Amino acid sequence: MRAPRPAVVVSAIAVVLALVVVGSLVRAGFLTALDAAGAGDENVTPSTLDAVESGTVDAYYGQTIRWGECSKDQVALNRDYRPSDMSAYQCAKLYAPLDWDDPSGEKITLSLAVHRSGEDGAPVLFYNLGGPGGAAIKSLSYLIEDNLGSALVKKYDVVAVDPRGVGTSTPVKCLTDAQLDAYSSTGSVTGASEQDRAAATPEQIVADATAEVEAISKGCEKMSGDLFRHIDTVSAAKDFDMIRAVLGQKTLDYLGYSYGSFLGATYAGLFPDKVGRMVLDGAIDPAMNVDEVSALQMRGFEASIEHWIDTCLTTKTCPLKGTKAQAIAQLTEFLDGLEKNPIPTSDSKRPLTKNLAVSAIIGMLYSEKSYSMLVQALTPAMEDQDGSQLLFLADYVSDRNADGTYSSNGTEALIAVNNLDYGPVGTIEDWAKEAGLLKSELPVFGSISGYASAGLDAWPTSHAAREAITAPGAAPILVVGTTHDPATPYVMAENLAKELSSGVLVSNEGWDHTAYSKDANSCLVGAVEGYLVSGTVPEAGLTCGK
């Protein structure tokens, strides 16, 4: 049960991928709708409003929540996942300060949904499926019905929270639909072409990145005011602690996938005494800087595309031929050719560019179950110069609708959060050297790697420090790493488990992004559910899926 929605993050030109864990593209569509429907301000009681007017942290923690009805569409990825019985689902909203350091200032709203276990006084299990920028509420019915084991659903009231800036919480908005199209197509909102950027000098690359970051941040400020300055992960973790208290939970039980692992680790670092049973799957190492994360991810995707090629070459329908080296060369030649000559698609106004093709390809690498879809989409593109199916996949992973609108603000939230969470490191000479090394090392994705720090200093806010999180005194924290995870390479799970004072590493053999679902191997299911349900801590170093 994996993840399919990659997106370009961190700097405007750095191809680092976002991590949203919902399910394989074969089984489910992840449409994180930015939807005004659903639980509105009527779910915030007048007493709650009065309480936070005093403008103190205690007032926010002292809110009373009023749960109301949800619509089926609120908690469903799409029509296929609308619950037949809505009696266990409820929705609500709470207030949070825009700036936790100035609780007397502006307020934002946070959207919540819950699936009740049916037991009075059931504990609460919070979760986050990744991003940053992935809305949680739309995924709730899928999580309950298709992803979580029945033991978890029976034990817990499962609570979804759209993080600040995301989904139906007060959303950040930075780009028009036309700008999002341009960003998806070329990686640029300023009109820079793929061909020009491929031939640019290091100085031009940095100048272009700076212009992109400035343009996007100005759009955020114009369309969302100061919100984009306050949707960092530390602020989101503080929101979770407030919600924990409002829901009457002494500790936070939590399941975090991908970026959700970083959110969980951040929470543990801030509130170690409030950590309950916590599982961090597809872990991100908080001590790594942006250049390290970017390079590691691109190496992860390079390994996965080679694994896909190995699999593809065993089939009669593979569009690549010959030896593995020859197949890599064919794919690289195809992608490089799109820089100068994008190929036609079913939309005459939207030819398939390299950026779109790479987005589609990487989206299919999140799960081995979607490998066949990449074969089906690449074949007409390479053999018949028809990019329609790759364009469809690229639109799918960016939440673009057929009418040209976008069903989520995921890309904008992802950019804004990452530009708050990561700061630039090194010099232009360092970036150019690393980019050259990656280009020589990674034949498929090397040409789009490097320069992750470029332009980050143009983001008009401060950046969070990247450092190890130890969370001394926290309860045991399970850190799950998949040995060939394409998006969060295994070494990051190893690192996080060592950094956390109570980290317990559980390894899973495989090539998918993240590991736990009810359909995972029995060893992994037993480890994760055994801890969340019964508090049984697995043996450190446990390896599953062998």
Side-chain angles (χ1 to χ4, degrees):
M1 317 294 300
R2 298 313 155 242
R5 193 170 83 69
V8 179
V9 310
V10 185
S11 82
I13 64 169
V15 184
V16 180
L17 294 228
L19 321 165
V20 179
V21 180
V22 175
S24 90
L25 287 168
V26 176
R27 298 194 56 189
F30 184 33
L31 304 177
T32 56
L34 176 58
D35 186 357
D41 288 334
E42 70 275 7
N43 286 325
V44 181
T45 67
S47 60
T48 295
L49 178 60
D50 293 342
V52 297
E53 287 301 311
S54 64
T56 66
V57 170
D58 287 345
Y60 282 101
Y61 271 69
Q63 294 179 82
T64 54
I65 190 167
R66 189 181 74 178
W67 293 101
E69 293 182 358
C70 303
S71 70
K72 290 186 176 183
D73 288 334
Q74 263 182 284
V75 297
L77 294 168
N78 54 41
R79 293 184 178 183
D80 293 337
Y81 288 90
R82 288 175 176 172
S84 57
D85 181 3
M86 288 295 295
S87 62
Y89 291 90
Q90 293 179 305
C91 289
K93 285 185 182 287
L94 289 172
Y95 285 115
L98 176 66
D99 182 353
W100 275 104
D101 292 330
D102 181 20
S104 64
E106 294 182 47
K107 297 188 293 291
I108 60 173
T109 58
L110 301 173
S111 292
L112 299 78
V114 63
H115 178 272
R116 301 290 184 187
S117 70
E119 297 293 329
D120 292 339
V124 167
L125 178 66
F126 293 88
Y127 70 91
N128 183 275
L129 297 177
I137 293 174
K138 294 288 289 186
S139 70
L140 182 56
S141 67
Y142 170 75
L143 200 75
I144 295 299
E145 298 182 15
D146 278 65
N147 204 65
L148 295 182
S150 59
L152 293 179
V153 176
K154 291 177 181 178
K155 177 180 177 66
Y156 285 103
D157 286 350
V158 180
V159 171
V161 179
D162 281 353
R164 56 173 52 215
V166 176
T168 53
S169 292
T170 302
V172 69
K173 187 66 183 166
C174 305
L175 301 171
T176 65
D177 288 341
Q179 287 175 314
L180 284 167
D181 273 354
Y183 192 70
S184 296
S185 179
T186 66
S188 171
V189 298
T190 63
S193 71
E194 289 184 318
Q195 186 175 358
D196 289 343
R197 285 164 53 192
T201 65
E203 291 75 18
Q204 289 171 325
I205 289 173
V206 174
D208 286 347
T210 300
E212 297 290 344
V213 169
E214 289 175 344
I216 294 171
S217 64
K218 288 178 181 177
C220 295
E221 189 163 24
K222 179 180 179 180
M223 302 174 79
S224 306
D226 281 341
L227 178 65
F228 82 107
R229 303 175 188 270
H230 300 285
I231 57 174
D232 56 285
T233 300
V234 168
S235 295
K238 291 179 179 179
D239 293 340
F240 270 71
D241 193 61
M242 178 197 73
I243 297 168
R244 172 200 60 76
V246 170
L247 297 185
Q249 303 297 298
K250 292 183 179 180
T251 57
L252 185 99
D253 290 353
Y254 178 82
L255 174 61
Y257 292 92
S258 203
Y259 162 79
S261 73
F262 177 57
L263 177 59
T266 299
Y267 180 91
L270 292 170
F271 309 102
D273 60 321
K274 302 300 183 185
V275 172
R277 298 172 186 175
M278 181 173 283
V279 177
L280 307 179
D281 187 357
I284 294 173
D285 181 1
M288 284 187 171
N289 64 47
V290 64
D291 290 347
E292 292 169 331
V293 171
S294 174
L296 193 60
Q297 285 188 322
M298 296 318 296
R299 290 186 174 103
F301 285 114
E302 188 77 22
S304 289
I305 193 64
E306 291 190 12
H307 179 62
W308 173 81
I309 288 172
D310 288 336
T311 303
C312 184
L313 288 175
T314 65
T315 69
K316 295 180 179 180
T317 57
C318 184
L320 307 175
K321 308 298 179 185
T323 66
K324 180 176 181 178
Q326 290 171 330
I328 290 173
Q330 291 161 24
L331 180 59
T332 301
E333 181 180 7
F334 167 72
L335 291 174
D336 289 346
L338 296 176
E339 286 180 351
K340 296 181 180 180
N341 299 299
I343 62 176
T345 69
S346 55
D347 186 339
S348 61
K349 297 180 180 179
R350 302 180 67 225
L352 183 74
T353 62
K354 181 176 181 178
N355 209 64
L356 287 166
V358 167
S359 295
I361 289 169
I362 287 181
M364 299 303 99
L365 296 180
Y366 274 55
S367 170
E368 287 187 287
K369 291 181 180 179
S370 55
Y371 278 14
S372 62
M373 298 180 70
L374 182 52
V375 173
Q376 294 170 18
L378 260 178
T379 299
M382 296 186 70
E383 296 182 357
D384 303 321
Q385 294 291 289
D386 180 0
S388 300
Q389 292 191 46
L390 282 175
L391 177 64
F392 173 82
L393 293 178
D395 286 349
Y396 187 94
V397 298
S398 66
D399 291 342
R400 187 185 191 273
N401 300 318
D403 62 1
T405 61
Y406 285 77
S407 60
S408 85
N409 71 328
T411 296
E412 295 146 290
L414 182 147
I415 294 169
V417 173
N418 276 297
N419 276 283
L420 291 166
D421 283 353
Y422 289 94
V425 293
T427 66
I428 187 172
E429 291 78 17
D430 296 329
W431 307 338
K433 180 179 179 180
E434 181 184 50
L437 291 173
L438 290 169
K439 187 172 183 178
S440 64
E441 177 188 344
L442 311 177
V444 179
F445 297 128
S447 64
I448 57 171
S449 302
Y451 291 98
S453 282
L456 280 178
D457 57 356
W459 195 257
T461 58
S462 60
H463 303 282
R466 304 298 300 185
E467 56 189 10
I469 294 174
T470 59
I477 298 174
L478 264 60
V479 180
V480 181
T482 298
T483 52
H484 301 286
D485 190 315
T488 52
Y490 177 67
V491 67
M492 292 207 276
E494 290 183 302
N495 291 350
L496 179 59
K498 291 176 183 177
E499 292 157 5
L500 290 166
S501 63
S502 58
V504 178
L505 178 65
V506 175
S507 304
N508 189 61
E509 296 282 352
W511 287 88
D512 291 353
H513 176 45
T514 75
Y516 169 73
S517 76
K518 67 181 182 182
D519 296 325
N521 60 75
S522 59
C523 169
L524 188 69
V525 171
V528 172
E529 295 186 6
Y531 184 52
L532 290 175
V533 174
S534 304
T536 303
V537 181
E539 179 183 354
L542 175 68
T543 298
C544 298
K546 293 185 291 185

